[in-house]
Amino acid sequence: EAAVTQSPRNKVAVTGGKVTLSCNQTNNHNNMYWYRQDTGHGLRLIHYSYGAGSTEKGDIPDGYKASRPSQENFSLILELATPSQTSVYFCASGLGRWDTQYFGPGTRLLVL
Amino acid sequence: GQQVQQSPASLVLQEGENAELQCNFSTSLNSMQWFYQRPGGSLVSLFYNPSGTKHSGRLTSTTVIKERRSSLHISSSQTTDSGTYLCALEQGTGSKLSFGKGAKLTVSP
């Protein structure tokens, strides 16, 4: 069974602060993804990666950076958090085409 | 605009009734995928379906590419089927997913 973990599970941040969300997968998947889920919008892709050292912009990358230091780890970085970034963030991993994606449990972020 | 249109947005059933959820898409695709999400929970893959019909227990997924639609049929619904069902269009070389807004299913005993 594919395993994707996220930390922290819940986070309260202040406006203008830096937030780092971490994701770890033990499946040796090349591809990793960061999504946010908001009522009325569904899940939207922020950044993704094809492997260690690579990051690509998704559909809504503004205000976010990503880092893939290793095959297992993929981080999402909010350098200057804003209240509009309050959301639930999901990380996922997958082999790529012809395979599904495996999701982590999610991180609830509240920016005050 | 939204590449994936999902309907209905919500559905309430009595236990034992069947459910039909639809997704229509406006672009080419590698596959259509269906996920289940418990309230406050993560997503679990139900089907990876590039075309045709696939079965898993009481669930059936059908994707018809030339009609740009995919459906998820749940037969003999149970209260444990309650939750949100999301379809996602996979496209491009990066296997990126574009999600529908989800269909909230409530099954009453």
Side-chain angles (χ1 to χ4, degrees), chain A residues 13-83:
Chain A
V14 296
T15 297
K18 182 177 181 178
V19 177
T20 300
L21 306 182
S22 300
C23 178
N24 177 274
Q25 55 101 358
T26 58
N27 312 307
N28 199 30
H29 287 160
N30 289 334
N31 293 7
M32 296 186 74
Y33 309 83
W34 275 107
Y35 298 89
R36 62 179 285 177
Q37 185 174 34
D38 304 285
T39 304
H41 287 282
L43 274 89
R44 292 178 290 173
L45 181 64
I46 307 169
H47 284 288
Y48 61 105
S49 169
Y50 293 123
S54 94
T55 60
E56 304 289 337
K57 293 180 179 179
D59 298 323
I60 53 164
D62 293 347
Y64 302 93
K65 292 172 58 177
S67 174
R68 183 88 181 268
S70 65
Q71 180 82 336
E72 298 79 18
N73 295 295
F74 190 37
S75 297
L76 186 68
I77 303 155
L78 291 65
E79 295 277 6
L80 294 170
T82 68

Side-chain angles (χ1 to χ4, degrees), chain A residues 9 31 33 35 37 40-45 48 50 57-59 90 96-101 103-106 108, chain B residues 2 29-30 33 35 37 40-45 47-48 50 86 90 92-102:
Chain A
R9 293 295 312 278
N31 293 7
Y33 309 83
Y35 298 89
Q37 185 174 34
H41 287 282
L43 274 89
R44 292 178 290 173
L45 181 64
Y48 61 105
Y50 293 123
K57 293 180 179 179
D59 298 323
F90 287 98
R97 197 169 175 178
W98 311 124
D99 188 34
T100 188
Q101 292 182 16
F103 282 77
R108 290 185 177 274
Chain B
Q2 184 79 13
L29 81 167
N30 297 337
Q33 300 188 30
F35 293 87
Q37 185 176 31
S42 185
L43 282 75
V44 175
S45 177
F47 288 103
Y48 180 98
L86 300 104
E90 180 195 348
T93 56
S95 299
K96 299 187 297 179
L97 294 180
S98 294
F99 282 84
K101 294 184 179 182

Side-chain angles (χ1 to χ4, degrees), chain B residues 13-85:
Chain B
L13 299 176
Q14 290 291 115
E15 198 166 28
E17 293 182 321
N18 299 331
E20 185 87 9
L21 308 178
Q22 296 283 348
C23 274
N24 293 283
F25 49 93
S26 57
T27 66
S28 60
L29 81 167
N30 297 337
S31 76
M32 182 63 79
Q33 300 188 30
W34 285 91
F35 293 87
Y36 169 72
Q37 185 176 31
R38 289 186 191 85
S42 185
L43 282 75
V44 175
S45 177
L46 297 175
F47 288 103
Y48 180 98
N49 189 358
S51 66
T53 298
K54 294 194 172 185
H55 302 277
S56 177
R58 295 181 292 104
L59 305 181
T60 301
S61 168
T62 300
T63 297
V64 183
I65 293 176
K66 63 181 179 181
E67 296 180 13
R68 297 185 180 262
R69 62 175 177 86
S70 182
S71 64
L72 178 67
H73 183 85
I74 304 171
S75 63
S76 303
S77 63
Q78 301 175 359
T79 56
T80 52
D81 293 331
S82 295
T84 299
Y85 293 82

Side-chain angles (χ1 to χ4, degrees), chain A residues 84-108:
Chain A
S84 65
Q85 293 175 313
T86 292
S87 187
V88 180
Y89 291 85
F90 287 98
C91 175
S93 74
L95 289 171
R97 197 169 175 178
W98 311 124
D99 188 34
T100 188
Q101 292 182 16
Y102 301 88
F103 282 77
T107 294
R108 290 185 177 274

